[in-house]
Amino acid sequence: MPDANLPRVPEKHVPAAQDPQLRKLANCIRFLSMDAVQKAKSGHPGAPMGMADIATVLFRDFMRFDAADPHWVDRDRFILSNGHGSMLLYSLLYLTGYRDMPIEQLERFRQVGSKTPGHPEYRHADGIELTTGPLGQGIAESVGMALAERIMNATFGDALINHFTYVFMGDGCLMEGISQEAISLAGHLKLGRLITFWDNNSISIDGATSLSVSDNELERFRASGWHVLEIDGHDTDAIRDAIRTARSVVDQPSMIACKTIIGFGFPTKAGTQKAHSDAPGEDEIAGARKILDWSAPPFVIPDDLLAEWRAIGAKGVTSRHEWANRVSEAPASLRAEFERRNSGELPSGWKRAIAAARREFIESAKPLATRQASGAVLNHLFAAIPELLGGSADLTPSNNTRAVNQVEVRPGDYAGSYVHYGVREHGMAAAMNGIALHGGLIPYGGTFLCFSDYCRPAIRLAAMMRIRTTFVMTHDSIGLGEDGPTHQPVEHLAALRAIPHLAVYRPGDAVETAECWELVMEQPRRAALLALSRQPLPLLRSDASTDNKSARGAYVLLDAEGGARRLTLLATGSELHLAVQAREILQREGVPTAVVSMPCRLLFEEQDAAYRKSVLGETAARVAVEAAVELGWERYLGVDGRFIGMHDFGESGPIDDVYAKFDITTDAIVRAARQVLEVA
Ligand SMILES: Cc1ncc(C[n+]2csc(CCOP(=O)(O)OP(=O)(O)O)c2C)c(N)n1
């Protein structure tokens, strides 16, 4: 009995192309993909084979790029959101002549240390604009890229920035929830230079997509304001016409639904989930050779076809030169600013903004929530760094993310520098990654720390790609009070600190907040998250110096007095002042006590052992306090140390009552200190 869930295998595996030469070029992608997957004994040949015709039309007839200069600022961007089809991208990079993608890299597909990992990874090879693989992230990041292009265009004009963002995406990308946030945001913002191609092959891993989805995708996109076209993805004329039309639509993003056959060319697997992944086997490849009339050995592209592909890779050189001429003819100040922003260099003197914010905090000496301090820092920073692009997922007044002079970005009007992302945390986080990757802008965006869970997959990618996306997460503990446990983060700091390379900052007062922002701006290759308090915190630092004490991750805020240190109190953020108060009591009792502030564990772990030892102190008597779970603090506490923090979800109530209920108080710290002093 045939499996009822399997779609009918198309009778005609190879519908004729109107342009036979184009089909031959596309077959280069197909065979490189088959050969690489077969050699690696793993991978995903189906999507590259199904989308090869579309890719070939796009690259041959439309994509503006120059393989010899992969970082050309005004190049069109190509994003493979269905990242499992990575061989499609690697084939294109090899065929079009990217220098760092020789054939040997394709032969080393999916091997340790290769430029051709299972899914495309940013920085592994030129032409990989971003890391994709977690389905849906690519399309959502592309929205940020397309938005960044328009914002840069609004500042610098058509002559300097005016390109398209093309995205391939599969059924899986569209099934993911993040796609809805991305589609909705792009439609709202009228991102007309975003052109997406849906690989509508009706197949995913489990079988026919009808097993799990019956959405009318065309209507879904239309409902969000997109321009939608539907074509046969193997009809080369139709592909060309559709792209031409999509490019002419200026005020709507386009979705071209391309009916394709997964594994196009396979004799038995085409059109079935068996084409999705895994090595096809020698027999299947031999069959494909017959069907597609291909006689070259594995990994060999016939000279004439390779020459044609290389010409495609070089055709953009004229456009690039024309663009370079336009840049050199631009007014000197505009040109200098354009080049500075694209290089990622910050304006000279920007640190004065941080110093000014610090001075303000010290002069007023008022208690300030760190979210408010962050807002004040941003006011200064935005005045100094115009490429800052702020935003919030509908919590602007709570996150304090909008600087006084930031004007909002509106649909069709991209002159602003503040994005209302709406209640779309995941879409916002991914879009910010796309903005950072585009270049020329420095994105940050806010929500409540608790909802970092809704952003986490994009935060993880930001950390993996080592890009400067900054997540401003306020209401960072039970200290938010009455909203209760659904809104009170408890395990989030530990979970976020577990992400490699992500700098999680939790400043303890306004001055530390300024320092943490300075560190964010100083590190272009580090994703960062600021955990900020809702509640006011006393100013603990009034040193006039502009030394950034947070730069080493942790430092001795108050040293022990009256003898050698007997006790170390470790704290972050809104609990730092509790440790300071506890120290006063303990010092009065004759216990020389130091308070260590640890705004960024990652940076502290990067310090040399001698510094870390000097901060943590010789004594084993240690108490850590943080209104969050203990996980991770054991590292500093040892067997004799004690932790004051959360062991359960929080509770709704006025802040002081909630802290008292969970016994996160000065008194609790003092009690714990006495206990550890007894055993230490
Ligand atoms: C977030 C996420 N969930 C699951 C996967 C595993 N996965 C990879 S491909 C795929 C099926 C995708 O189907 P489709 O987009 O139609 O790709 P095609 O079969 O056309 O290659 C799944 C579930 C993933 N990569 N990312």
Side-chain angles (χ1 to χ4, degrees), residues 44-48 51 81-85 119 132-137 169-176 178 198-207 209 260 262-263 272-273 275-277 457:
H44 302 80
M51 297 197 85
S81 187
N82 44 349
H84 58 279
H119 295 81
T132 53
L135 297 172
Q137 290 293 328
M169 56 195 187
D171 300 302
C173 292
L174 297 193
M175 287 189 221
E176 289 292 349
I178 191 174
W198 168 31
D199 186 23
N200 179 15
N201 61 24
S202 307
I203 290 289
S204 61
I205 291 179
D206 280 2
T209 49
T260 60
I262 189 169
T272 77
Q273 74 264 36
H276 167 86
S277 60

Tab-separated table of all heavy atoms in Angstrom, residues 44-48 51 81-85 119 132-137 169-176 178 198-207 209 260 262-263 272-273 275-277 457, ligand 1:
chain	number	residue	atom	x	y	z
A	44	HIS	N	21.660	17.962	3.194
A	44	HIS	CA	20.295	18.150	2.681
A	44	HIS	C	20.335	18.542	1.206
A	44	HIS	O	20.416	19.731	0.884
A	44	HIS	CB	19.595	19.245	3.483
A	44	HIS	CG	19.521	18.955	4.951
A	44	HIS	ND1	20.575	19.173	5.799
A	44	HIS	CD2	18.525	18.446	5.714
A	44	HIS	CE1	20.234	18.818	7.038
A	44	HIS	NE2	18.986	18.368	7.002
A	45	PRO	N	20.235	17.579	0.316
A	45	PRO	CA	20.316	17.910	-1.109
A	45	PRO	C	19.001	18.437	-1.692
A	45	PRO	O	19.011	19.138	-2.704
A	45	PRO	CB	20.668	16.561	-1.759
A	45	PRO	CG	20.078	15.536	-0.838
A	45	PRO	CD	20.138	16.128	0.548
A	46	GLY	N	17.867	18.095	-1.069
A	46	GLY	CA	16.559	18.340	-1.689
A	46	GLY	C	16.284	19.795	-2.000
A	46	GLY	O	15.881	20.135	-3.120
A	47	ALA	N	16.497	20.666	-1.006
A	47	ALA	CA	16.183	22.088	-1.218
A	47	ALA	C	17.103	22.715	-2.266
A	47	ALA	O	16.620	23.435	-3.163
A	47	ALA	CB	16.240	22.844	0.109
A	48	PRO	N	18.435	22.487	-2.200
A	48	PRO	CA	19.287	23.069	-3.252
A	48	PRO	C	18.883	22.607	-4.646
A	48	PRO	O	18.903	23.408	-5.594
A	48	PRO	CB	20.692	22.551	-2.911
A	48	PRO	CG	20.651	22.215	-1.461
A	48	PRO	CD	19.233	21.822	-1.149
A	51	MET	N	15.575	24.426	-5.556
A	51	MET	CA	15.625	25.890	-5.717
A	51	MET	C	16.718	26.337	-6.690
A	51	MET	O	16.947	27.541	-6.864
A	51	MET	CB	15.827	26.569	-4.362
A	51	MET	CG	14.676	26.331	-3.396
A	51	MET	SD	14.674	27.494	-1.999
A	51	MET	CE	13.803	28.917	-2.668
A	81	SER	N	17.349	31.370	4.297
A	81	SER	CA	16.701	31.152	5.598
A	81	SER	C	16.520	29.654	5.866
A	81	SER	O	16.601	29.212	7.004
A	81	SER	CB	15.351	31.879	5.632
A	81	SER	OG	14.782	31.822	6.909
A	82	ASN	N	16.279	28.896	4.804
A	82	ASN	CA	16.229	27.432	4.972
A	82	ASN	C	17.678	26.907	4.960
A	82	ASN	O	18.133	26.266	4.020
A	82	ASN	CB	15.372	26.760	3.888
A	82	ASN	CG	15.627	27.295	2.481
A	82	ASN	OD1	16.308	28.307	2.313
A	82	ASN	ND2	15.110	26.629	1.473
A	83	GLY	N	18.380	27.218	6.045
A	83	GLY	CA	19.833	27.030	6.097
A	83	GLY	C	20.296	25.597	5.930
A	83	GLY	O	21.463	25.360	5.593
A	84	HIS	N	19.393	24.636	6.152
A	84	HIS	CA	19.806	23.234	5.938
A	84	HIS	C	20.201	23.017	4.480
A	84	HIS	O	20.980	22.118	4.180
A	84	HIS	CB	18.705	22.261	6.366
A	84	HIS	CG	17.397	22.459	5.655
A	84	HIS	ND1	16.495	23.421	6.030
A	84	HIS	CD2	16.843	21.832	4.589
A	84	HIS	CE1	15.446	23.377	5.231
A	84	HIS	NE2	15.628	22.428	4.332
A	85	GLY	N	19.687	23.864	3.592
A	85	GLY	CA	20.062	23.754	2.175
A	85	GLY	C	21.385	24.449	1.891
A	85	GLY	O	21.598	25.000	0.806
A	119	HIS	N	25.299	24.032	8.462
A	119	HIS	CA	24.444	25.181	8.164
A	119	HIS	C	25.354	26.403	7.997
A	119	HIS	O	26.402	26.476	8.638
A	119	HIS	CB	23.445	25.401	9.299
A	119	HIS	CG	22.474	24.259	9.450
A	119	HIS	ND1	22.794	23.099	10.123
A	119	HIS	CD2	21.217	24.076	8.974
A	119	HIS	CE1	21.767	22.264	10.071
A	119	HIS	NE2	20.795	22.824	9.377
A	132	THR	N	22.331	30.850	9.520
A	132	THR	CA	20.950	30.366	9.467
A	132	THR	C	20.933	28.869	9.746
A	132	THR	O	21.958	28.204	9.681
A	132	THR	CB	20.292	30.631	8.098
A	132	THR	OG1	21.138	30.102	7.071
A	132	THR	CG2	20.043	32.095	7.853
A	133	GLY	N	19.785	28.361	10.027
A	133	GLY	CA	19.652	26.941	10.366
A	133	GLY	C	18.465	26.728	11.277
A	133	GLY	O	17.594	25.911	10.976
A	134	PRO	N	18.402	27.500	12.399
A	134	PRO	CA	17.159	27.460	13.169
A	134	PRO	C	16.075	28.097	12.287
A	134	PRO	O	16.128	29.296	11.996
A	134	PRO	CB	17.469	28.318	14.397
A	134	PRO	CG	18.968	28.403	14.449
A	134	PRO	CD	19.419	28.360	13.015
A	135	LEU	N	15.145	27.297	11.839
A	135	LEU	CA	14.212	27.761	10.810
A	135	LEU	C	13.465	29.008	11.266
A	135	LEU	O	13.083	29.128	12.424
A	135	LEU	CB	13.240	26.636	10.450
A	135	LEU	CG	13.922	25.410	9.834
A	135	LEU	CD1	12.929	24.248	9.689
A	135	LEU	CD2	14.544	25.731	8.487
A	136	GLY	N	13.267	29.905	10.341
A	136	GLY	CA	12.550	31.149	10.616
A	136	GLY	C	13.458	32.312	10.992
A	136	GLY	O	13.098	33.473	10.813
A	137	GLN	N	14.653	32.010	11.534
A	137	GLN	CA	15.538	33.114	11.940
A	137	GLN	C	15.980	33.932	10.733
A	137	GLN	O	16.081	35.154	10.801
A	137	GLN	CB	16.777	32.578	12.665
A	137	GLN	CG	16.509	32.011	14.042
A	137	GLN	CD	16.077	33.056	15.047
A	137	GLN	OE1	16.485	34.205	14.989
A	137	GLN	NE2	15.232	32.655	15.973
A	169	MET	N	13.318	30.816	1.506
A	169	MET	CA	12.768	30.235	2.746
A	169	MET	C	11.906	29.027	2.400
A	169	MET	O	11.295	28.966	1.336
A	169	MET	CB	11.961	31.277	3.521
A	169	MET	CG	10.842	31.897	2.720
A	169	MET	SD	10.211	33.401	3.484
A	169	MET	CE	8.820	33.725	2.407
A	170	GLY	N	11.897	28.081	3.322
A	170	GLY	CA	11.157	26.846	3.066
A	170	GLY	C	9.856	26.788	3.845
A	170	GLY	O	9.487	27.729	4.554
A	171	ASP	N	9.182	25.669	3.708
A	171	ASP	CA	7.933	25.476	4.459
A	171	ASP	C	8.190	25.613	5.953
A	171	ASP	O	7.381	26.170	6.691
A	171	ASP	CB	7.378	24.064	4.191
A	171	ASP	CG	7.088	23.844	2.722
A	171	ASP	OD1	6.297	24.610	2.146
A	171	ASP	OD2	7.669	22.898	2.139
A	172	GLY	N	9.329	25.063	6.383
A	172	GLY	CA	9.648	25.086	7.810
A	172	GLY	C	9.759	26.509	8.334
A	172	GLY	O	9.259	26.828	9.423
A	173	CYS	N	10.401	27.394	7.568
A	173	CYS	CA	10.530	28.795	7.994
A	173	CYS	C	9.150	29.402	8.202
A	173	CYS	O	8.934	30.185	9.129
A	173	CYS	CB	11.285	29.607	6.942
A	173	CYS	SG	13.019	29.160	6.796
A	174	LEU	N	8.234	29.040	7.312
A	174	LEU	CA	6.910	29.656	7.391
A	174	LEU	C	6.045	29.018	8.468
A	174	LEU	O	5.082	29.627	8.933
A	174	LEU	CB	6.211	29.591	6.031
A	174	LEU	CG	6.918	30.360	4.921
A	174	LEU	CD1	6.006	30.512	3.704
A	174	LEU	CD2	7.370	31.744	5.385
A	175	MET	N	6.369	27.797	8.857
A	175	MET	CA	5.610	27.189	9.960
A	175	MET	C	6.008	27.788	11.298
A	175	MET	O	5.224	27.804	12.238
A	175	MET	CB	5.858	25.676	9.993
A	175	MET	CG	5.181	24.894	8.888
A	175	MET	SD	5.359	23.122	9.242
A	175	MET	CE	5.698	22.480	7.621
A	176	GLU	N	7.257	28.231	11.403
A	176	GLU	CA	7.731	28.771	12.676
A	176	GLU	C	6.967	30.045	13.041
A	176	GLU	O	6.725	30.903	12.188
A	176	GLU	CB	9.232	29.104	12.591
A	176	GLU	CG	10.140	27.899	12.534
A	176	GLU	CD	10.168	27.082	13.833
A	176	GLU	OE1	9.643	27.561	14.855
A	176	GLU	OE2	10.719	25.971	13.795
A	178	ILE	N	7.972	32.643	14.540
A	178	ILE	CA	8.708	33.893	14.310
A	178	ILE	C	8.404	34.462	12.932
A	178	ILE	O	8.476	35.674	12.718
A	178	ILE	CB	10.231	33.696	14.504
A	178	ILE	CG1	10.948	35.048	14.524
A	178	ILE	CG2	10.837	32.770	13.459
A	178	ILE	CD1	12.430	34.977	14.856
A	198	TRP	N	9.454	31.612	-1.538
A	198	TRP	CA	9.021	30.462	-0.737
A	198	TRP	C	9.187	29.198	-1.570
A	198	TRP	O	8.625	29.086	-2.662
A	198	TRP	CB	7.557	30.651	-0.321
A	198	TRP	CG	6.915	29.426	0.268
A	198	TRP	CD1	7.514	28.449	0.988
A	198	TRP	CD2	5.536	29.068	0.170
A	198	TRP	NE1	6.599	27.499	1.369
A	198	TRP	CE2	5.381	27.853	0.877
A	198	TRP	CE3	4.419	29.668	-0.426
A	198	TRP	CZ2	4.148	27.213	0.978
A	198	TRP	CZ3	3.195	29.030	-0.321
A	198	TRP	CH2	3.067	27.811	0.380
A	199	ASP	N	9.986	28.295	-1.036
A	199	ASP	CA	10.217	27.006	-1.692
A	199	ASP	C	9.004	26.116	-1.402
A	199	ASP	O	9.011	25.287	-0.491
A	199	ASP	CB	11.501	26.389	-1.116
A	199	ASP	CG	11.900	25.111	-1.828
A	199	ASP	OD1	11.488	24.918	-2.990
A	199	ASP	OD2	12.635	24.305	-1.218
A	200	ASN	N	8.007	26.314	-2.198
A	200	ASN	CA	6.709	25.670	-1.953
A	200	ASN	C	6.716	24.255	-2.536
A	200	ASN	O	6.093	23.982	-3.562
A	200	ASN	CB	5.631	26.557	-2.605
A	200	ASN	CG	4.237	25.993	-2.446
A	200	ASN	OD1	4.003	25.108	-1.640
A	200	ASN	ND2	3.308	26.519	-3.237
A	201	ASN	N	7.464	23.371	-1.844
A	201	ASN	CA	7.568	21.999	-2.375
A	201	ASN	C	6.665	21.017	-1.641
A	201	ASN	O	6.666	19.821	-1.930
A	201	ASN	CB	9.026	21.519	-2.375
A	201	ASN	CG	9.624	21.473	-0.974
A	201	ASN	OD1	8.917	21.369	0.016
A	201	ASN	ND2	10.944	21.555	-0.895
A	202	SER	N	5.927	21.524	-0.675
A	202	SER	CA	4.925	20.723	0.051
A	202	SER	C	5.508	19.542	0.813
A	202	SER	O	4.793	18.608	1.161
A	202	SER	CB	3.828	20.211	-0.901
A	202	SER	OG	3.282	21.272	-1.633
A	203	ILE	N	6.817	19.600	1.044
A	203	ILE	CA	7.475	18.487	1.748
A	203	ILE	C	8.298	19.040	2.900
A	203	ILE	O	9.010	20.039	2.745
A	203	ILE	CB	8.429	17.731	0.776
A	203	ILE	CG1	7.651	16.952	-0.275
A	203	ILE	CG2	9.381	16.798	1.529
A	203	ILE	CD1	6.912	15.742	0.234
A	204	SER	N	8.189	18.390	4.054
A	204	SER	CA	9.171	18.637	5.117
A	204	SER	C	9.633	17.264	5.617
A	204	SER	O	9.495	16.276	4.890
A	204	SER	CB	8.602	19.548	6.212
A	204	SER	OG	7.484	18.964	6.823
A	205	ILE	N	10.184	17.191	6.806
A	205	ILE	CA	10.837	15.932	7.193
A	205	ILE	C	9.844	14.790	7.388
A	205	ILE	O	10.065	13.659	6.933
A	205	ILE	CB	11.669	16.131	8.481
A	205	ILE	CG1	12.875	17.028	8.172
A	205	ILE	CG2	12.148	14.781	9.028
A	205	ILE	CD1	13.760	17.311	9.350
A	206	ASP	N	8.747	15.082	8.049
A	206	ASP	CA	7.808	13.990	8.343
A	206	ASP	C	7.062	13.497	7.114
A	206	ASP	O	6.447	12.424	7.142
A	206	ASP	CB	6.789	14.452	9.400
A	206	ASP	CG	7.374	14.387	10.796
A	206	ASP	OD1	8.564	14.033	10.924
A	206	ASP	OD2	6.651	14.698	11.765
A	207	GLY	N	7.055	14.261	6.059
A	207	GLY	CA	6.333	13.865	4.844
A	207	GLY	C	5.706	15.081	4.197
A	207	GLY	O	6.307	16.162	4.161
A	209	THR	N	3.587	18.344	3.758
A	209	THR	CA	3.286	19.401	4.725
A	209	THR	C	1.814	19.359	5.132
A	209	THR	O	1.444	19.870	6.186
A	209	THR	CB	3.625	20.791	4.146
A	209	THR	OG1	3.044	20.896	2.844
A	209	THR	CG2	5.121	20.988	4.024
A	260	THR	N	7.844	24.096	-6.373
A	260	THR	CA	9.054	23.382	-6.798
A	260	THR	C	8.942	21.896	-6.477
A	260	THR	O	8.049	21.462	-5.735
A	260	THR	CB	10.308	23.910	-6.063
A	260	THR	OG1	10.113	23.705	-4.671
A	260	THR	CG2	10.571	25.369	-6.349
A	262	ILE	N	11.041	19.077	-4.690
A	262	ILE	CA	12.206	18.822	-3.843
A	262	ILE	C	13.038	17.707	-4.492
A	262	ILE	O	12.490	16.735	-5.023
A	262	ILE	CB	11.784	18.472	-2.392
A	262	ILE	CG1	13.015	18.431	-1.470
A	262	ILE	CG2	11.000	17.161	-2.325
A	262	ILE	CD1	12.669	18.362	0.019
A	263	GLY	N	14.349	17.881	-4.485
A	263	GLY	CA	15.224	16.864	-5.087
A	263	GLY	C	15.040	16.752	-6.592
A	263	GLY	O	15.211	15.662	-7.164
A	272	THR	N	9.611	13.702	-2.822
A	272	THR	CA	9.277	13.007	-1.577
A	272	THR	C	10.196	13.476	-0.457
A	272	THR	O	11.248	14.066	-0.705
A	272	THR	CB	9.462	11.475	-1.710
A	272	THR	OG1	10.862	11.177	-1.630
A	272	THR	CG2	8.914	10.958	-3.029
A	273	GLN	N	9.813	13.133	0.782
A	273	GLN	CA	10.658	13.554	1.911
A	273	GLN	C	11.998	12.844	1.913
A	273	GLN	O	12.910	13.236	2.642
A	273	GLN	CB	9.938	13.366	3.261
A	273	GLN	CG	9.804	11.953	3.745
A	273	GLN	CD	8.445	11.381	3.377
A	273	GLN	OE1	7.915	11.681	2.304
A	273	GLN	NE2	7.879	10.582	4.247
A	275	ALA	N	14.017	12.990	-0.337
A	275	ALA	CA	14.994	13.900	-0.963
A	275	ALA	C	15.465	14.977	0.004
A	275	ALA	O	16.452	15.652	-0.244
A	275	ALA	CB	14.366	14.570	-2.180
A	276	HIS	N	14.738	15.136	1.133
A	276	HIS	CA	15.037	16.257	2.033
A	276	HIS	C	16.468	16.182	2.563
A	276	HIS	O	17.222	17.154	2.503
A	276	HIS	CB	14.041	16.276	3.194
A	276	HIS	CG	14.436	17.187	4.310
A	276	HIS	ND1	14.121	18.524	4.329
A	276	HIS	CD2	15.165	16.966	5.430
A	276	HIS	CE1	14.631	19.082	5.415
A	276	HIS	NE2	15.261	18.149	6.100
A	277	SER	N	16.816	15.002	3.093
A	277	SER	CA	18.148	14.905	3.712
A	277	SER	C	18.752	13.536	3.478
A	277	SER	O	18.092	12.620	2.969
A	277	SER	CB	18.057	15.167	5.215
A	277	SER	OG	17.206	14.221	5.816
A	457	PRO	N	16.329	32.425	21.017
A	457	PRO	CA	17.016	31.863	19.845
A	457	PRO	C	17.803	32.915	19.060
A	457	PRO	O	18.864	32.625	18.516
A	457	PRO	CB	15.869	31.292	19.004
A	457	PRO	CG	14.750	31.073	19.975
A	457	PRO	CD	14.879	32.185	20.967
B	1	LIG	C1	13.759	25.793	14.605
B	1	LIG	C2	14.057	24.527	13.879
B	1	LIG	N1	13.290	23.435	14.121
B	1	LIG	C3	13.565	22.258	13.506
B	1	LIG	C4	14.612	22.155	12.642
B	1	LIG	C5	14.955	20.821	12.002
B	1	LIG	N2	14.591	20.839	10.583
B	1	LIG	C6	15.487	21.088	9.629
B	1	LIG	S1	14.836	21.104	8.101
B	1	LIG	C7	13.303	20.754	8.693
B	1	LIG	C8	12.141	20.617	7.758
B	1	LIG	C9	11.987	21.810	6.949
B	1	LIG	O1	11.131	21.605	5.898
B	1	LIG	P1	11.234	22.542	4.631
B	1	LIG	O2	11.455	23.933	5.050
B	1	LIG	O3	10.048	22.260	3.780
B	1	LIG	O4	12.562	22.068	3.946
B	1	LIG	P2	12.693	21.087	2.687
B	1	LIG	O5	12.085	19.782	3.083
B	1	LIG	O6	11.990	21.732	1.564
B	1	LIG	O7	14.171	20.974	2.487
B	1	LIG	C10	13.328	20.631	10.074
B	1	LIG	C11	12.156	20.320	10.910
B	1	LIG	C12	15.390	23.321	12.417
B	1	LIG	N3	16.437	23.337	11.604
B	1	LIG	N4	15.057	24.478	13.021
